[in-house]
């Protein structure tokens, strides 16, 4: 297995996109001391939403897992833009997942594993993190998933 996050991304066949610019009155990242807070990222692929809709409705769990993975790719792109070298990530401290779903939907954790699994694939043991996952009635642009993160930076 490769030893750097960039090499692991390459092994996974992942090219980081240009980070999405904020669309309202906020910034993509804020660093305070050795902590980097990254604003919520939607599941953009090639600049467009990978999927739209709600879990328990038009979006399957499998599609939403992939959407969470795309959200994590976009989160990692923001981290790289903020700190330059992903090897500076000492720890993925926390991920927060928002799942747009119907009231009956309860498989939130399975969906968020798309992001969590990629964090571990890219950062190894430093990618193991605390996590919250909540269901919400809607997300921006009708996205099914949004993921935010907190990273410890060397």
């Amino acid at each position: 297995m490769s030893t750097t996050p960039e090499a692991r991304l390459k092994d996974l066949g992942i090219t980081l996109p240009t980070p999405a610019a904020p669309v309202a009155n906020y910034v993509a990242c804020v660093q305070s001391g050795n902590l980097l807070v990254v604003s919520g990222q939607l599941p953009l692929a090639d600049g467009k939403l990978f999927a739209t809709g709600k879990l328990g409705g038009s979006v399957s769990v499998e599609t939403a897992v992939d959407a969470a993975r795309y959200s994590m790719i976009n989160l990692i792109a923001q981290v790289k833009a903020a700190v330059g070298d992903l090897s500076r990530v000492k720890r993925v401290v926390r991920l927060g997942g928002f799942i747009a779903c119907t009231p009956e939907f309860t498989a939130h954790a399975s969906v968020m594993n798309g992001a969590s699994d990629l964090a571990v694939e890219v950062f190894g043991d430093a990618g193991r993190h605390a996590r919250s996952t909540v269901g919400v009635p809607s997300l921006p642009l009708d996205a099914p998933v949004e993921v935010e993160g907190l990273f410890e930076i060397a």
Side-chain angles (χ1 to χ4, degrees), residues 5-64:
E6 275 93 351
R8 290 181 190 130
L9 284 166
K10 186 175 180 182
D11 290 348
L12 293 166
I14 296 171
T15 301
L16 293 177
T18 300
V23 296
N25 189 17
Y26 65 93
V27 294
C29 300
V30 171
Q31 186 165 353
S32 180
N34 65 343
L35 293 177
L36 180 71
V37 180
V38 183
S39 295
Q41 299 297 303
L42 298 178
L44 298 175
D46 299 320
K48 295 179 266 197
L49 279 177
F50 168 74
T52 58
K54 292 180 179 40
L55 280 289
S58 63
V59 178
S60 70
V61 170
E62 294 77 16
T63 296

Side-chain angles (χ1 to χ4, degrees), residues 42-111:
L42 298 178
L44 298 175
D46 299 320
K48 295 179 266 197
L49 279 177
F50 168 74
T52 58
K54 292 180 179 40
L55 280 289
S58 63
V59 178
S60 70
V61 170
E62 294 77 16
T63 296
V65 168
D66 289 341
R69 186 174 178 89
Y70 278 114
S71 291
M72 188 66 197
I73 290 168
N74 287 289
L75 203 68
I76 294 168
Q78 293 287 0
V79 172
K80 182 162 177 60
V83 304
D85 181 356
L86 291 176
S87 293
R88 290 188 58 205
V89 174
K90 288 179 64 176
R91 185 75 191 239
V92 179
V93 177
R94 179 188 178 279
L95 294 179
F98 303 92
I99 313 300
C101 60
T102 63
E104 306 78 34
F105 183 78
T106 61
H108 307 78
S110 296
V111 170

